[in-house]
Amino acid sequence: MISPADKEFWKARALPASLLGLTFLSWVGIYNLSFISDDFPLLAEQFIKPFTLFTPTAYFIAPVFKLFLSIGTILFGTAAIGYYAIIVIIHLSNVFLFFKLLQKFGFDEKVALVSALAWGTLAQYAEALFWISGSVHVFTLFFVLFSAYTAIRWEESNKIYFLVISILLLVSGFLCRESAVLFLFIWAMYVVIRKYKIKEIILKFLPFIVIIGMLIIVMQLLRSFAGLEPQKYMN
């Protein structure tokens, strides 16, 4: 006989497992892909000189993402499937984190599940998974969602190490793409839902605003020193 406690244990794991399984099936065709477009200069740079992280290549200055590419050249060489396998794993992690965040925002478990599944299988998201260069957005989102989740854990527990982890993840996200500023919108939504007073909201936002301001300045300086034109970077 299965006890009620065992039923709850397996139920709590069955929903996330089904979410990840269905999402994976929607992207399983990724094993047929190869390198395209900007993948070649980005990977060639890492083959020639591994761990070249801060140079502008194909208009990329994304040191954390380039770190993934450099490690990939060591582990997978020219086998594209290895890179794509990691990208899918990161995407599945993003779907799971999105599911957990929706629950933290107070959504019903089933609503969170359907929403995360719909987002995780959207065809419009294909470029980020089917193009290694485009997967920089998958990595950025991973750090943003993980940072937001640990920030909420900090807010719930007031344990400082959650704040430190959240900030480190946020920094990593910015060192992929400045679109990591999305973190502020996620955090703002959560703080509003928690109905903090204005003074409390300012105190909760302050460490993240300071960090993000510093990161924006650092990324602008990196592009400036590299002689990278903003309009080309945005393309």
Side-chain angles (χ1 to χ4, degrees), residues 119-148:
W119 172 75
T121 56
L122 277 175
Q124 290 89 335
Y125 199 54
E127 182 179 289
L129 273 76
F130 286 2
W131 181 19
I132 289 175
S133 298
S135 70
V136 65
H137 301 294
V138 178
F139 283 84
T140 305
L141 188 59
F142 170 75
F143 290 117
V144 168
L145 295 178
F146 204 174
S147 179

Side-chain angles (χ1 to χ4, degrees), residues 50-92:
F51 302 105
T52 301
L53 306 181
F54 291 93
T55 57
T57 315
Y59 305 123
F60 272 75
I61 297 181
V64 170
F65 178 65
K66 283 188 173 184
L67 181 62
F68 154 68
L69 296 178
S70 190
I71 294 172
T73 60
I74 295 170
L75 296 178
F76 312 122
T78 57
I81 181 61
Y83 301 88
Y84 284 113
I86 299 299
I87 292 166
V88 169
I89 290 170
I90 297 297
H91 177 58
L92 292 176

Side-chain angles (χ1 to χ4, degrees), residues 30-62:
I30 209 166
Y31 74 91
N32 281 321
L33 299 176
S34 58
F35 304 121
I36 56 173
S37 187
D38 290 345
D39 298 346
F40 294 105
L42 284 166
L43 289 168
E45 177 185 56
Q46 300 305 323
F47 274 113
I48 295 168
K49 191 175 180 181
F51 302 105
T52 301
L53 306 181
F54 291 93
T55 57
T57 315
Y59 305 123
F60 272 75
I61 297 181

Side-chain angles (χ1 to χ4, degrees), residues 3 10 13 25 32-33 43 52 58 63 69 78 80 97 107 115 123 137 145 154 156 185 187 191-192 199 210 216 231:
S3 67
W10 289 112
R13 285 153 182 78
L25 287 175
N32 281 321
L33 299 176
L43 289 168
T52 301
L69 296 178
T78 57
L97 285 166
F107 287 94
S115 300
H137 301 294
L145 295 178
W154 164 64
E156 291 174 337
F185 295 96
W187 184 236
V191 172
V192 169
K199 184 178 179 180
V210 170
I216 290 173
Q231 67 269 24

